[in-house]
Amino acid sequence: HRESTPGKVRSGKPQAFAYSVPVVCDKTQKVSHVRFRVKATACQGTHGSQDGLAICMRCMASYPMTMDELKVPQGIRDLAFPASGIVIVTGETGSGKTTLLGSFIREKATQELPVHIVTYEDPIEYDYRSIPNKTAIIAQTEVGEMIGSFDDAIPDAMRRNPDIIKVGEVSEEKGIKNALLAGQSGHLVYTTVHAEGVAITFSRMVTAFPHEAQAGVMQSLIASTRGIIHQRLLNKKDGGRIPVQEWLEIGRDEREILLDVPVKEITSTLERLVEERGQPLLRDLESKKDLIDEVDYKLNRRSLIKNEFKKEE
């Protein structure tokens, strides 16, 4: 990967990066590339030595699929491309957040009117430069190698005059503040958050701040966010995986409702808005029941119904 990578891994700093292998076609002699997402971690070696290395490699496409190929629902398409503000995709690791956001980037990168897109990723997975029929100018920066941290991403981006900023993750106080600043200054910002659903997203984000600052941050999040999507990937009966999604577009009416309730009622209010104006996860799960592996379906349905009972209590 890089000369510094083995030393970093041995010193107790696991490394995540993309690895590309050139492949030459026997017939045409054309060179293409097979890409892998790699995780390298130090571990115990042979006979108990301390110099072992565990490497996990996941094969991935060179560039993202289109929204049509992913069968992205109309409700998500409607909220995915505001003129400015923040669009948040939530879910656990491996839930397809990068794939979904990649389809958004591909859509914007191939439109007739060219745009300037900057991304900050850890690691860089898709090579957006290889998107077919690309009209956009795209610069991808790998966090930890090309820039210090996600906290540094937005200040760097603001000096580069982009139309769209994609930040792999915002979870700390500084990073969230910077994302809010970019969203409020006329940029379209895509980012991800580890949260169990749309309704809990804002509350999860404000916990990164001191208690006395949380009300102000919540107001800023409501004012800047244009949509929240939550996604899970479940096993299909016939093999492969299928996304189960919930979403809420946050327009002017939704913002007025959210700004009018106390911070402690934001989550319950978002739950109601998702049910009335968006798409709740349980509804999407039930609509895809015949496609989903029975065990996965039952486990997810049980957890979602338990959550419903907790709300009623």
Side-chain angles (χ1 to χ4, degrees):
H1 178 232
R2 288 186 171 89
E3 288 186 6
S4 60
T5 301
K8 288 179 179 178
V9 174
R10 291 193 190 100
S11 67
K13 298 176 182 177
Q15 298 294 298
F17 53 91
Y19 185 69
S20 181
V21 180
V23 178
V24 181
C25 176
D26 290 338
K27 292 182 179 179
T28 64
Q29 294 300 302
K30 182 179 178 180
V31 178
S32 59
H33 288 80
V34 179
R35 287 173 62 81
F36 296 87
R37 177 168 180 169
V38 184
K39 184 72 173 183
T41 310
C43 66
Q44 192 174 58
T46 309
H47 307 303
S49 64
Q50 299 300 309
D51 59 353
L53 181 67
I55 297 179
C56 177
M57 301 180 72
R58 178 163 61 90
C59 191
M60 57 185 293
S62 293
Y63 51 84
M65 298 171 70
T66 65
M67 299 178 81
D68 288 340
E69 289 169 336
L70 290 177
K71 299 178 181 178
V72 175
Q74 189 60 47
I76 292 179
R77 293 171 187 254
D78 290 342
L79 68 82
F81 306 110
S84 63
I86 305 172
V87 175
I88 304 171
V89 179
T90 78
E92 63 183 18
T93 301
S95 61
K97 299 188 296 296
T98 299
T99 300
L100 182 61
L101 280 177
S103 73
F104 297 174
I105 295 294
R106 181 168 178 177
E107 182 77 14
K108 296 299 288 186
T110 54
Q111 66 182 19
E112 185 176 352
L113 180 66
V115 293
H116 181 200
I117 303 171
V118 297
T119 77
Y120 299 87
E121 305 164 74
D122 182 21
I124 291 173
E125 296 192 46
Y126 295 117
D127 182 1
Y128 292 132
R129 296 169 303 174
S130 62
I131 291 175
N133 305 313
K134 176 173 63 68
T135 59
I137 298 171
I138 305 178
Q140 295 175 259
T141 296
E142 187 162 303
V143 173
E145 292 289 340
M146 303 171 186
I147 196 169
S149 70
F150 282 119
D151 290 345
D152 303 319
I154 298 295
D156 178 73
M158 298 281 277
R159 293 189 290 269
R160 297 168 63 184
N161 194 31
D163 299 296
I164 299 170
I165 305 168
K166 175 180 177 276
V167 184
E169 182 180 349
V170 291
S171 57
E172 304 297 331
E173 179 179 345
K174 186 178 176 182
I176 296 170
K177 279 184 178 178
N178 288 334
L180 288 170
L181 175 63
Q184 292 166 349
S185 62
H187 297 85
L188 170 55
V189 180
Y190 292 121
T191 191
T192 70
V193 174
H194 286 279
E196 295 78 20
V198 167
I200 198 68
T201 301
F202 286 163
S203 297
R204 174 62 56 85
M205 293 174 77
V206 300
T207 57
F209 294 81
H211 181 74
E212 63 273 13
Q214 290 181 4
V217 174
M218 183 68 80
Q219 299 278 306
S220 296
L221 279 170
I222 294 167
S224 300
T225 304
R226 299 294 178 261
I228 308 174
I229 305 159
H230 176 70
Q231 178 167 292
R232 299 181 186 181
L233 284 182
L234 305 185
N235 293 315
K236 294 173 66 177
K237 288 180 178 178
D238 57 356
R241 295 191 293 175
I242 186 171
V244 177
Q245 299 157 316
E246 72 174 10
W247 63 81
L248 177 66
E249 182 174 4
I250 302 177
R252 183 174 61 183
D253 292 344
E254 289 77 20
R255 282 196 293 277
E256 288 180 357
I257 292 169
L258 291 167
L259 289 169
D260 202 36
V261 301
V263 172
K264 64 180 180 181
E265 296 179 17
I266 291 294
T267 299
S268 59
T269 304
L270 279 168
E271 287 170 351
R272 177 171 60 81
L273 290 173
V274 170
E275 186 71 36
E276 296 174 356
R277 306 184 183 199
Q279 165 89 345
L281 198 64
L282 184 57
R283 188 187 303 164
D284 198 33
L285 178 71
E286 295 294 355
S287 73
K288 297 171 180 174
K289 176 181 178 181
D290 294 338
L291 301 173
I292 299 170
D293 173 78
E294 187 175 355
V295 174
D296 260 11
Y297 167 77
K298 288 182 177 178
L299 285 173
N300 281 272
R301 185 175 186 275
R302 188 179 301 128
S303 69
L304 292 171
I305 289 176
K306 281 182 180 179
N307 289 338
E308 292 295 323
F309 287 148
K310 287 179 183 178
K311 291 178 207 171
E312 293 174 6
E313 292 170 3

